[in-house]
Amino acid sequence: DSGVTQTPKHLITATGQRVTLRCSPRSGDLSVYWYQQSLDQGLQFLIQYYNGEERAKGNILERFSAQQFPDLHSELNLSSLELGDSALYFCASSASGDTGELFFGEGSRLTVL
Amino acid sequence: KNEVEQSPQNLTAQEGEFITINCSYSVGISALHWLQQHPGGGIVSLFMLSSGKKKHGRLIATINIQEKHSSLHITASHPRDSAVYICALYSGGGADGLTFGKGTHLIIQP
């Protein structure tokens, strides 16, 4: 058990819809990272938050947004969903702002029909 | 942009064999991670390296910063080592996240 909790584990929705994925980091970790893993693109970094502030941005689409709340949990919002957004979305946490040891959640599997 | 090459892409070996997975990259980095992903999908961080060598149980990871190359070794391999092994690069500076290799699919047969 990594100590990182992601919900929901599975999600099936339709094109055009909006979903929210939630991540609770390991106790004491200030950084939360979001990654997308699809069959054709592999793992890609989406975005990082550190202590409530956006710290780094990767290949995150404009239809996607994220935030980190004062209690350090984070949410990834995916809107106007397309078939190609079907993927595993991972959250990871670390203690520092620069990537130290990472602790991954089990992932949220999103299927867009 | 840092290019990451992992080799081999697929590896099938017999239980007990010594396994080596390689990761090469094109631009200098601050740190390199080795990750393990089991068929169920979960990802576990095995090592984070910025220089030298680290060992944990039967796993050994090395990095040569000058040659821009890292290796992950598994000694006395076991079927439970069957997984995808992914190297991921951190360039530093806080502006970028990790850049991932495509992974090595390892199957250890009993």
Side-chain angles (χ1 to χ4, degrees), chain A residues 12 17 20 23 30 36 43-44 52 54 57 74 76 92 100 108-109 112:
Chain A
I12 301 173
Q17 295 298 302
T20 297
C23 171
L30 298 178
Q36 179 194 58
L43 268 166
Q44 291 193 95
E54 182 185 305
K57 209 165 188 175
S74 178
L76 179 66
S108 294
R109 184 174 294 278
V112 182

Side-chain angles (χ1 to χ4, degrees), chain B residues 14-106:
Chain B
Q14 296 297 312
E15 183 174 357
E17 286 189 38
F18 181 81
I19 303 298
T20 295
I21 298 169
N22 297 298
C23 177
S24 297
Y25 50 94
S26 57
V27 178
I29 59 172
S30 290
L32 182 145
H33 295 253
W34 280 103
L35 310 174
Q36 179 193 56
Q37 186 172 27
H38 277 284
I43 296 176
V44 174
S45 176
L46 298 175
F47 296 103
M48 187 185 75
L49 293 161
S50 53
S51 65
K53 175 180 174 177
K54 286 189 176 180
K55 183 175 190 291
H56 185 256
R58 295 180 295 106
L59 302 177
I60 302 165
T62 64
I63 189 168
N64 185 318
I65 296 294
Q66 286 73 32
E67 295 188 3
K68 297 185 179 61
H69 180 269
S70 176
S71 293
L72 176 68
H73 305 286
I74 305 174
T75 62
S77 59
H78 189 276
R80 65 175 174 266
D81 297 325
S82 299
V84 177
Y85 293 84
I86 303 166
C87 76
L89 314 177
Y90 177 62
S91 298
D96 302 308
L98 294 177
T99 301
F100 295 89
K102 293 191 184 307
T104 294
H105 293 248
L106 175 66

Side-chain angles (χ1 to χ4, degrees), chain A residues 87-109:
Chain A
L88 258 174
Y89 292 85
F90 285 100
C91 161
S93 73
S94 71
S96 71
D98 288 333
T99 182
E101 185 176 4
L102 292 172
F103 297 87
F104 285 81
E106 293 186 359
S108 294
R109 184 174 294 278

